[in-house]
Amino acid sequence: MHRWPIKEWPPKEPTWGLVGAGWGLAAIGLLFIMGTRFQASATNGKSDCRRIVEPSVVLSRQELADLLTVPERAEQSKVKAIVAEPYCQLADLELRDGISAQREAYPLAFDPKTWLVLLYEGNEYAGYAFSFQQ
């Protein structure tokens, strides 16, 4: 019977590639969990509007494209340079322990039943989600 040469299996120490892959999967999982939590909170829509700010506001395709280029954790003023006042302010929520997040909703001009919800933590832009209205 012929035996194939196997050096050391399983390896005595994990290789850095496996460790890096494990950390990468953990980070992706955390981002997915945070994203779905924000997405679920963004889908409440009109019933969650705390205050109507500007009832005639809609977001154009160009404004949407410009907003999607703003990196997370940028200053809120970078977002405000692209968009005017929101349609409404949604109720604040807590995505991370002890940190309150403010949300603003903008209906899309080309699909008014779809809103872009922007999230801010303090003076930082923290991300976005789409909310689909009934």
Side-chain angles (χ1 to χ4, degrees), residues 10-132:
K12 290 181 182 175
E13 296 181 23
T15 62
W16 286 110
L18 291 175
V19 172
W23 278 107
L25 287 174
I28 289 170
L30 180 63
L31 290 173
F32 177 75
I33 290 168
M34 291 296 289
T36 55
R37 201 167 155 194
F38 176 45
Q39 180 67 32
S41 65
T43 58
N44 294 338
K46 289 182 184 176
S47 64
D48 202 18
C49 270
R50 187 176 60 190
R51 179 174 74 97
I52 304 293
V53 177
E54 185 58 52
S56 63
V57 164
V58 290
L59 199 63
S60 71
R61 287 181 193 272
Q62 186 59 52
E63 289 171 323
L64 176 61
D66 292 344
L67 280 172
L68 297 180
T69 65
V70 176
E72 289 184 10
R73 301 299 165 202
E75 290 183 19
Q76 185 178 9
S77 60
K78 291 191 179 201
V79 173
K80 294 299 184 179
I82 298 170
V83 294
E85 293 293 319
Y87 169 78
C88 78
Q89 290 179 334
L90 302 171
D92 293 353
L93 58 97
E94 189 176 305
L95 290 177
R96 296 184 288 156
D97 288 337
I99 299 176
S100 179
Q102 299 77 40
R103 299 178 298 157
E104 297 178 344
Y106 298 82
L108 302 181
F110 52 93
D111 185 5
K113 289 189 175 188
T114 302
W115 291 4
L116 178 72
V117 179
L118 300 179
L119 181 74
Y120 303 101
E121 290 178 344
N123 198 30
E124 288 185 338
Y125 168 64
Y128 69 91
F130 288 98
S131 174
F132 304 98

